[in-house]
C-alpha cells in the first residue's frame, strides 16, 4: 500500500524533528526517520503516513546546503509503499525542504518494521 500525507498526518511533528536535527530550509539530506506509522485508508487501498510518534531524525548526509529561512509547513511523501499497516523505521530517505518538505523513499532507502517495547509495532511478542 502506498502512503500519502493527509490532514491527520501531523506534519508539524516531522517539521519539529527536522528543526531538532538542524535541517535547514532549502536543504536536501539523506536521513533516518524512526517510528513513522502507516495506516490503511478505508476503501481505497491507499495508506496515510502519520508522524505523531516520529522519533529523532538522524542526518546521514547533506546533499544540498540550505539557508536560515523557516521550514515549509506542507509535507509530501513519495514512494512510501509498505506491505501492511504498521510502524516503520525509514533509513536513508531523501528529505528536502524547499517549497514543501518532501520525504522521498527511493532505491537508496530501506524500511524495517519498528521494534517497540512489546515487539514489532507493539502487536507481536518476542519469545
Amino acid at each position: 500500500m502506498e502512503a500519502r500525507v493527509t490532514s491527520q498526518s501531523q506534519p508539524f511533528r516531522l517539521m519539529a524533528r527536522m528543526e531538532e536535527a538542524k535541517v535547514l530550509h532549502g536543504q536536501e539530506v539523506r536521513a533516518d526517520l524512526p517510528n513513522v506509522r502507516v495506516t490503511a485508508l478505508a476503501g481505497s487501498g491507499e495508506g496515510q503516513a502519520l508522524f505523531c510518534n516520529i522519533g529523532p531524525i538522524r542526518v546521514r548526509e547533506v546533499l544540498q546546503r540550505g539557508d536560515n529561512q523557516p521550514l515549509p509547513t506542507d509535507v509530501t511523501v513519495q514512494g512510501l509503499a509498505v506491505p501492511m499497516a504498521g510502524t516503520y523505521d525509514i533509513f536513508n530517505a531523501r528529505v528536502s525542504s524547499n517549497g514543501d518538505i518532501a520525504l522521498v523513499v527511493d532505491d537508496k532507502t530501506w524500511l524495517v518494521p519498528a521494534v517497540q517495547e512489546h515487539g514489532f509495532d507493539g502487536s507481536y511478542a518476542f519469545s
Side-chain angles (χ1 to χ4, degrees), residues 28-48:
E28 186 172 345
V29 299
R30 286 277 174 189
D32 300 339
L33 297 92
N35 294 324
V36 175
R37 185 155 179 79
V38 177
T39 61
L41 291 170
S44 71
E46 292 184 317
Q48 66 180 340

Side-chain angles (χ1 to χ4, degrees), residues 4-89:
R4 60 185 172 93
V5 175
T6 68
S7 59
Q8 289 84 29
S9 293
Q10 297 187 359
F12 65 91
R13 296 283 298 141
L14 175 59
M15 191 174 96
R17 290 297 190 179
M18 289 176 67
E19 289 172 345
E20 288 173 6
K22 306 218 182 318
V23 176
L24 303 172
H25 174 270
Q27 197 170 41
E28 186 172 345
V29 299
R30 286 277 174 189
D32 300 339
L33 297 92
N35 294 324
V36 175
R37 185 155 179 79
V38 177
T39 61
L41 291 170
S44 71
E46 292 184 317
Q48 66 180 340
L50 301 172
F51 302 109
C52 46
N53 293 320
I54 189 170
I57 293 174
R58 178 179 166 249
V59 175
R60 291 175 167 261
E61 179 182 8
V62 175
L63 304 172
Q64 180 175 317
R65 287 199 236 182
D67 55 40
N68 287 325
Q69 300 298 314
L71 287 174
T73 56
D74 292 330
V75 173
T76 62
V77 174
Q78 299 171 13
L80 180 56
V82 296
M84 61 187 211
T87 304
Y88 294 87
D89 291 338

